[in-house]
Amino acid sequence: IHTEIAGALGAAWRHRWSAAGIALMFTLVSAILTMTLAEVMTQSSVVMAAQRLRELDATTFTPYYLGDLGNDPSTGLMEDLGDRIASGSAYTMILSNVAGGNPVVIVVGQAAQNAMTGARLCSPAPCAMVGGQVPHPVDGPLHVGGRSVPVAGRTPSSASLFDPAAVGIDLDRSVLIVLPPSSLDHLDSTEQEEAVWRTVLLSATDDDTEQFITAARQDRLALVPHRLAADQPERFRKLVVWAAMHGVGLLGLTALVSIAYSASIRSVLRRERADLLLRHLYGATSAQLTIRLAAFLAVTMLVLPALTLLALAASTLLRGAAAAAGSALIIIYLVFLMTTVRRVRFEFARSGTVR
């Protein structure tokens, strides 16, 4: 086996320029495929995670400032928000906090359970849950919103929280803090402002939504409402169209690279035919030559793309997409291996030397 692998490496070195060109093309295809899959998977996870919220006819908001940044929400607005959360008709989140070097996700209201998958919110509030991969250990209670928040336990690694303004939040790398509605009055102005525009209203009538928007506008914060039941399906349709367009382009690029690689392999086999035939005549079995061909193909089309995919997989957001791209690359490799072995055996059959 070592001899065959060494022979494959030697063949790859003799044809290094064509091998390097093909390897770079496969690397480019793998990187583009990973980025495209990552975007599709991320957006799809957002749409799927919002299923429960769509069933509850949730309304989210996009903020626009009518004056200077950094408004100070009024006491009346915060009391109204607290009443809505206490009644279970709303919840809110605050994502701009850090505690002890760890990212902190604050949720106010048990209704936030509808946006959470893979775990249950701790109770009674205030309480905290710590992800298993937070950068720094969490010792003792936390202090947020004028309260001492005890750590109730660990967050399961599969837990995530749907953020209507962005994507799913991986709670395994965050500290999740659950606060009661009464804590809203004790947050600073920046946190209160974020709590207002990140509010999610559940099963709200048009009048309820308009009242909330009017109260926020009086504090110079314009909120544009979005009903997930209407916006998310449209977002999914756009995602399907976008993925289809990029998929067709990627298939075309992959086909061109595969055609170029196939032509390069045929050229290499013509130049290596005498050596392969001579080894076969002097006792090398078809299995040994298959190992040589497999090693040659791996060196020319797997090594550099695989290293690139491993580097991309270091990012949590790209890990799943890189794994999918790697699987596709291996399938293409196996197809080329079977085709190449069949071509070599056909050449041996024509020479009358098949073993």
Side-chain angles (χ1 to χ4, degrees), residues 16 24 47 57 62 214 232 253 256 265 282 294 315 334:
R16 54 188 176 276
L24 288 174
V47 174
D57 196 19
T62 299
T214 300
Q232 289 286 317
L253 179 60
L256 289 175
I265 289 297
Y282 279 87
S315 168
L334 292 175

Side-chain angles (χ1 to χ4, degrees), residues 43-286:
Q43 296 298 330
S44 297
S45 68
V46 171
V47 174
M48 300 307 176
Q51 175 64 35
R52 177 59 181 160
L53 293 178
R54 288 198 299 272
E55 293 173 354
L56 293 172
D57 196 19
T59 301
T60 64
F61 302 94
T62 299
Y64 294 92
Y65 295 91
L66 300 178
D68 296 332
L69 298 178
N71 296 321
D72 188 0
S74 64
T75 301
L77 176 59
M78 299 313 297
E79 288 179 351
D80 176 60
L81 177 56
D83 291 341
R84 291 173 183 269
I85 293 174
S87 68
S89 63
Y91 73 89
T92 190
M93 299 184 295
I94 302 167
L95 307 180
S96 57
N97 281 55
V98 176
N102 297 314
V104 172
V105 177
I106 298 175
V107 297
V108 185
Q110 287 296 318
Q113 181 64 58
N114 294 298
M116 191 171 180
T117 59
R120 299 286 302 177
L121 289 175
C122 61
S123 62
C127 58
M129 301 170 67
V130 180
Q133 297 188 40
V134 292
H136 306 282
V138 177
D139 299 320
L142 305 170
H143 299 277
V144 179
R147 293 175 178 269
S148 177
V149 181
V151 176
R154 291 281 179 179
T155 308
S157 60
S158 60
S160 63
L161 183 68
F162 170 68
D163 175 18
V167 296
I169 302 170
D170 182 7
L171 296 178
D172 195 35
R173 299 177 181 274
S174 306
V175 176
L176 176 65
I177 297 177
V178 183
L179 294 179
S182 57
S183 297
L184 289 172
D185 292 336
H186 301 285
L187 300 174
D188 62 38
S189 60
T190 301
E191 293 170 332
Q192 288 181 339
E193 185 179 67
E194 185 178 359
V196 170
W197 70 261
R198 284 192 184 275
T199 296
V200 178
L201 302 181
L202 305 176
S203 303
T205 64
D206 291 341
D207 289 342
D208 286 339
T209 303
E210 186 59 35
Q211 289 175 5
F212 186 72
I213 292 173
T214 300
R217 187 183 297 116
Q218 291 173 353
D219 287 344
R220 305 189 64 76
L221 182 64
L223 299 179
V224 178
H226 305 282
R227 291 183 58 192
L228 292 184
D231 290 357
Q232 289 286 317
E234 179 62 24
R235 183 176 181 179
F236 185 72
R237 283 192 291 271
K238 291 180 178 178
L239 173 63
V240 170
V241 173
W242 182 90
M245 292 175 60
H246 283 72
V248 170
L250 271 174
L251 284 175
L253 179 60
T254 303
L256 289 175
V257 172
S258 298
I259 292 171
Y261 187 63
S262 180
S264 177
I265 289 297
R266 286 196 299 270
S267 175
V268 169
L269 287 178
R270 282 196 299 268
R271 282 177 280 179
E272 297 290 326
R273 181 177 180 276
D275 182 62
L276 291 173
L277 185 58
L278 188 62
R279 286 189 53 74
H280 195 57
L281 289 172
Y282 279 87
T285 64
S286 295

Side-chain angles (χ1 to χ4, degrees), residues 295-352:
F296 174 77
L297 294 178
V299 169
T300 54
M301 69 172 289
L302 279 187
V303 174
L304 187 58
L307 292 175
T308 302
L309 292 176
L310 284 175
L312 293 174
S315 168
T316 304
L317 293 175
L318 298 177
R319 190 165 298 158
S327 299
L329 184 64
I330 290 174
I331 292 173
I332 294 173
Y333 165 76
L334 292 175
V335 170
F336 270 113
L337 177 59
M338 290 187 293
T339 303
T340 305
V341 170
R342 188 178 295 115
R343 183 177 292 123
V344 170
R345 289 182 64 84
F346 177 73
E347 289 293 330
F348 287 163
R350 287 203 310 173
S351 303

